[in-house]
């Protein structure tokens, strides 16, 4: 590899561990170097050029600082952009920064950028020009940095009042695809081999198939000093295909970022990995040598090694796809989508895989209510994690909630249950909660959060507010398992006989969660037992559930789940007047009575 004038040697460590730096290089785009390059090319004697951009770095020192950076929409990099890079890892921490929670973040901003109240440093005033222009080539030559001469030069920008009129544009313009499909991805092929294209795929280890990863950002840059600031990007389509309508020569570098208008996925490496708690995952994929950049297959394979980069890429992609699958599930059941811009956090917290849907990023009223809570209360009541405070965070968790409030949380620490269907069943469950939140709003959801905090979970059904918790969790349990069954059928990871212990089988036999949440009732009023004669009905106190009810729909149940719906018994009474054809009132009452409703 090359990055700048020195070497960026290809390494098995790329994308793993920590980024390894080489030496600092002279920045070719400084105003003085670009001025000299311009004068050399055009035999002029311009004495000064005004900057159009600034190369800067920020040092956040509090969760509030981190939140400010998160909301800045800057593409931040944790390593300096003017150094040789020997290998790119998942992270880099500046050794001069003593606090392990923070490190310098590098970016290029417009010259008139209004800096937030965060410690920052202007490293260099820049006169940016197109990276494939003759001015850039001359600036690289005079600074002793390596430069790959392009097949075609981009025009030099116009200079007005001593400033180059140039704007960084990271988008990939449309067009330039031949319309023919081929290669390992079966995506459209660009009209030129120098235009990067391909697919992002994730392996479903239960269905033994590769699926396209939908709507993630693919970032491409030249392997050249400061090439990263000229990066271009594209979002994958529903098949995982992506395409950059720009010609590259030599070497390129590729990243994938799990961020879109639908969701962003964050993956923590450790209990105290606060940076990745906050920012969406961005994984370095690798270096690719030209001239042919077509049909690059980026594949995230399954692994049960939950502490690896491979797992973090795989689980982020699997959780990402589950959101789009649940959207289709919602459409097919005449239900609304979950809210957009979902903030999904994947942690190694706790003991045993768990999930939660606090929906905090969508709140405007929650923060003050949570400031007074202990970390233990927040962990158990908000994140559904039972763990000593010291093993998770040594600082105020409520403060970090303000910095980056998650909507959905997956706590995944059991590699023995890290299969595609395990992840999806939990995600579908939490997405059903997100869907419910969209209907009932903030006040209802805050009351539910405060109930779980007060009871360190759902309690035993005797505390005030238990009825609301029952309504919320019934919907999650039965939707999560049913949606998982629709995808996996007999190809599941559940123990026991494949035909009888499907996700549907577990739902059919299931009755209560936390001893009182009657999710089995919500399923039993929908299912037609004649269609599933091989599935055993559940038992309550040793007695088989008397299920002679069928025909209610998910949409009918969901329609009752308004802000005024505060117990399963209330829901039972609201649904009772709309008995489906073929269901008797006696059968309905018998089923409800068996569940204690």
């Amino acid at each position: 590899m090359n990055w700048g004038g020195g070497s960026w040697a290809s390494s098995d460590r790329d994308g793993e561990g920590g980024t390894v730096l080489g030496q600092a290089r002279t920045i070719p785009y400084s105003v003085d170097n670009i001025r000299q390059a311009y004068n050399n090319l055009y035999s002029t004697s311009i004495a000064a050029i005004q900057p159009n951009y600034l190369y800067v770095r920020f040092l956040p020192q509090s969760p509030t600082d981190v939140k400010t950076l998160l909301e800045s929409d800057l593409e931040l990099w944790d390593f300096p952009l003017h150094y040789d890079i020997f290998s790119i890892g998942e992270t880099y921490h500046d050794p001069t920064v003593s606090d392990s929670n923070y490190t310098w973040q590098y970016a290029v901003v417009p010259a008139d950028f209004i800096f937030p109240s965060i410690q920052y440093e202007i490293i260099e005033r820049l006169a940016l020009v197109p990276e494939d222009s003759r001015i850039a080539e001359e600036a690289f030559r005079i600074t002793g940095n390596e430069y790959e001469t392009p097949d075609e030069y981009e025009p030099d920008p116009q200079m007005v009042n001593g400033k180059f009129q140039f704007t960084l544009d990271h988008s990939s313009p449309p067009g330039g695809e031949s319309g023919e499909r081929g290669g390992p991805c079966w995506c459209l092929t660009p009209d030129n081999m120098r235009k990067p294209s391909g697919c992002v795929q994730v392996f479903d280890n239960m269905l033994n198939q590769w699926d396209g990863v939908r709507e993630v950002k693919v970032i491409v840059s030249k392997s050249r000093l400061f090439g990263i600031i000229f990066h271009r990007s594209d979002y994958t389509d529903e098949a995982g295909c992506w395409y950059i309508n720009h010609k590259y020569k030599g070497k390129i570098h590729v990243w994938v970022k799990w961020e879109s208008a639908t969701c962003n996925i964050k993956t923590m490496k450790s209990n105290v990995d606060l940076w990745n708690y906050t920012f969406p995952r961005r994984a370095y994929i690798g270096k690719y040598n030209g001239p042919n950049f077509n049909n690059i297959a980026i594949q995230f394979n399954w692994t049960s090694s939950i502490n690896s980069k491979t797992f973090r890429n795989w689980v982020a992609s699997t959780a990402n796809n589950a959101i789009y699958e649940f959207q289709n599930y919602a459409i097919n059941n005449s239900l609304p989508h979950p809210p957009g811009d979902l903030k999904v956090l994947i942690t190694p917290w706790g003991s045993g895989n768990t999930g939660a849907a606090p929906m905090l990023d969508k709140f405007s009223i929650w923060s003050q209510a949570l400031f007074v809570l202990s970390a233990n209360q927040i962990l158990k009541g908000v994140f559904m994690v039972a763990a000593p405070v010291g093993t998770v965070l040594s600082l105020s968790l409520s403060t970090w909630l303000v910095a980056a409030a998650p909507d959905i949380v997956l706590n995944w620490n059991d590699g023995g249950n890290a299969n595609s269907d395990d992840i999806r069943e939990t995600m579908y469950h939490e997405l059903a909660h997100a869907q419910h939140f969209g209907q009932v709003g903030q006040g209802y959801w805050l009351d539910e959060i405060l109930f779980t905090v007060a009871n360190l979970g759902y309690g035993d059904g005797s505390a005030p507010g238990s009825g609301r918790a029952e309504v919320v969790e019934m919907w999650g349990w039965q939707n999560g398992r049913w949606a998982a069954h629709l995808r996996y059928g007999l190809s599941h990871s559940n123990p026991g006989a494949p035909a009888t212990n499907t996700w549907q089988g577990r739902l059919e036999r299931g009755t209560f969660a936390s001893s009182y949440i009657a999710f089995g009732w919500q399923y039993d009023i929908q299912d037609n037992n004649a269609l599933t004669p091989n599935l055993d009905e559940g038992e309550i106190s040793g007695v088989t559930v008397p299920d002679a009810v069928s025909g209610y729909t998910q949409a009918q149940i969901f329609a009752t789940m308004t802000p005024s719906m505060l117990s399963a018994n209330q829901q039972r009474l609201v649904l009772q007047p709309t008995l489906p054809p073929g269901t008797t009132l006696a059968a309905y009452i018998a089923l409800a009575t068996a569940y204690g409703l």
Side-chain angles (χ1 to χ4, degrees):
M1 298 181 183
N2 280 319
W3 184 290
S7 63
W8 187 359
S10 181
S11 169
D12 291 339
R13 293 176 299 177
D14 285 336
E16 296 276 8
T19 297
V20 180
L21 300 181
Q23 63 178 336
R25 310 296 299 187
T26 302
I27 299 172
Y29 295 103
S30 72
V31 289
D32 289 337
N33 289 328
I34 291 295
R35 177 186 59 80
Q36 182 179 342
Y38 186 86
N39 286 338
N40 290 352
L41 282 175
Y42 298 108
S43 301
T44 57
S45 56
I46 295 175
I49 290 178
Q50 296 300 312
N52 53 10
Y53 282 88
L54 303 172
Y55 173 36
V56 302
R57 64 178 185 172
F58 301 91
L59 183 59
Q61 298 178 69
S62 70
T64 302
D65 287 352
V66 173
K67 179 178 174 64
T68 300
L69 286 181
L70 182 67
E71 294 173 345
S72 71
D73 291 328
L74 295 173
E75 193 70 58
L76 299 164
W77 304 87
D78 62 7
F79 55 85
L81 310 181
H82 62 293
Y83 274 68
D84 291 337
I85 309 291
F86 290 116
S87 66
I88 298 181
E90 286 195 278
T91 56
Y92 174 76
H93 189 272
D94 192 314
T96 66
V97 179
S98 59
D99 191 334
S100 61
N101 293 319
Y102 308 99
T103 192
W104 286 103
Q105 301 295 316
Y106 295 79
V108 169
V109 300
D112 59 356
F113 181 75
I114 299 175
F115 286 91
S117 56
I118 300 174
Q119 182 178 340
Y120 70 91
E121 176 185 338
I122 298 175
I123 301 172
E124 191 69 75
R125 298 159 66 247
L126 304 176
L128 289 187
V129 295
E131 61 175 342
D132 286 341
S133 66
R134 294 185 183 276
I135 298 175
E137 181 179 43
E138 177 63 9
F140 272 71
R141 185 192 67 79
I142 64 178
T143 55
N145 291 298
E146 293 180 4
Y147 188 89
E148 185 88 36
T149 300
D151 288 343
E152 301 173 10
Y153 287 100
E154 297 179 67
D156 293 334
Q158 184 180 6
M159 187 185 296
V160 177
N161 296 326
K163 179 189 291 188
F164 282 110
Q165 304 301 293
F166 173 76
T167 302
L168 280 174
D169 184 1
H170 300 302
S171 63
S172 176
E177 293 172 296
S178 69
E180 298 178 0
R181 293 188 178 272
C185 303
W186 205 245
C187 297
L188 293 174
T189 303
D191 57 8
N192 189 291
M193 70 170 59
R194 293 192 182 277
K195 294 182 178 181
S197 69
C199 61
V200 181
Q201 297 177 319
V202 62
F203 189 66
D204 188 316
N205 71 308
M206 299 313 303
L207 298 180
N208 195 33
Q209 67 185 31
W210 290 95
D211 298 321
V213 183
R214 293 188 56 176
E215 213 174 318
V216 291
K217 183 188 288 187
V218 179
I219 300 171
V220 174
S221 79
K222 290 184 184 294
S223 176
R224 175 190 293 172
L225 187 73
F226 259 64
I228 201 169
I229 69 169
F230 295 95
H231 70 264
R232 293 172 174 84
S233 63
D234 186 33
Y235 284 94
T236 58
D237 63 15
E238 63 182 11
C241 297
W242 58 274
Y243 163 65
I244 304 293
N245 190 16
H246 181 81
K247 295 177 185 177
Y248 288 85
K249 185 178 181 181
K251 307 177 187 71
I252 62 171
H253 298 282
V254 179
W255 291 260
V256 169
K257 189 174 186 181
W258 284 261
E259 178 184 49
S260 70
T262 299
C263 63
N264 70 54
I265 315 290
K266 301 176 284 187
T267 57
M268 295 178 67
K269 294 172 60 178
S270 70
N271 284 340
V272 291
D273 180 12
L274 296 178
W275 193 258
N276 288 310
Y277 166 92
T278 308
F279 284 86
R281 179 166 183 79
R282 183 181 60 207
Y284 177 65
I285 305 304
K287 177 199 70 172
Y288 296 86
N289 295 307
N292 188 355
F293 296 121
N294 294 174
N295 294 310
I296 296 173
I298 301 170
Q299 294 186 318
F300 300 126
N301 209 344
W302 169 82
T303 179
S304 60
S305 299
I306 58 176
N307 295 319
S308 66
K309 180 197 77 170
T310 300
F311 178 78
R312 288 186 285 276
N313 288 338
W314 175 83
V315 73
S317 300
T318 301
N320 177 88
N321 277 9
I323 295 171
Y324 297 97
E325 294 154 10
F326 194 84
Q327 288 179 347
N328 290 332
Y329 172 80
I331 291 171
N332 292 336
N333 285 279
S334 301
L335 298 169
H337 284 187
D341 192 26
L342 286 172
K343 302 299 192 298
V344 180
L345 173 66
I346 301 173
T347 85
W349 292 350
S351 176
N353 301 331
T354 58
M359 302 302 296
L360 295 179
D361 182 69
K362 304 298 177 283
F363 273 72
S364 60
I365 61 174
W366 64 270
S367 57
Q368 295 300 321
L370 294 185
F371 277 144
V372 298
L373 302 177
S374 70
N376 265 337
Q377 288 175 310
I378 293 174
L379 285 169
K380 184 60 178 175
V382 177
F383 292 101
M384 297 299 146
V385 173
V389 176
T391 65
V392 178
L393 294 174
S394 58
L395 47 82
S396 172
L397 185 54
S398 60
T399 304
W400 276 97
L401 282 177
V402 176
D407 292 316
I408 291 176
V409 182
L410 296 186
N411 306 295
W412 223 261
N413 47 68
D414 179 5
N417 290 288
N419 300 292
S420 300
D421 62 331
D422 295 318
I423 298 294
R424 280 184 167 85
E425 190 274 332
T426 304
M427 274 298 294
Y428 296 156
H429 178 126
E430 304 309 336
L431 288 163
H433 290 328
Q435 185 182 61
H436 189 191
F437 168 83
Q439 175 150 295
V440 297
Q442 298 180 40
Y444 188 97
W445 217 251
L446 179 58
D447 287 341
E448 173 67 4
I449 290 173
L450 293 177
F451 168 83
T452 61
V453 167
N455 291 275
L456 295 178
Y458 302 114
D460 60 5
S462 62
S466 296
R468 182 186 50 250
E470 187 173 19
V471 172
V472 170
E473 286 304 316
M474 286 193 305
W475 184 250
W477 277 94
Q478 61 99 358
N479 274 279
R481 290 187 176 186
W482 181 235
H485 177 75
L486 292 177
R487 177 174 174 88
Y488 289 101
L490 297 177
S491 301
H492 58 83
S493 64
N494 297 321
T500 58
N501 206 29
T502 62
W503 287 105
Q504 182 186 18
R506 295 184 67 182
L507 185 55
E508 180 70 273
R509 289 193 303 277
T511 52
F512 296 99
S514 297
S515 77
Y516 75 96
I517 296 170
F519 70 90
W521 173 77
Q522 275 199 352
Y523 176 72
D524 282 339
I525 65 174
Q526 299 180 70
D527 69 325
N528 186 337
N529 291 329
L531 301 178
T532 55
N534 297 322
L535 294 181
D536 295 331
E537 196 69 57
E539 293 185 353
I540 299 176
S541 300
V543 178
T544 300
V545 173
D547 182 9
V549 180
S550 66
Y552 282 98
T553 67
Q554 295 279 44
Q556 284 178 288
I557 295 172
F558 187 72
T560 71
M561 294 167 54
T562 63
S564 62
M565 181 56 61
L566 298 175
S567 73
N569 186 60
Q570 180 188 357
Q571 187 177 63
R572 168 248 176 166
L573 293 173
V574 170
L575 288 170
Q576 184 169 306
T578 58
L579 293 173
T583 293
T584 67
L585 178 60
Y588 185 83
I589 292 175
L591 178 62
T593 301
Y595 279 99
L597 304 180

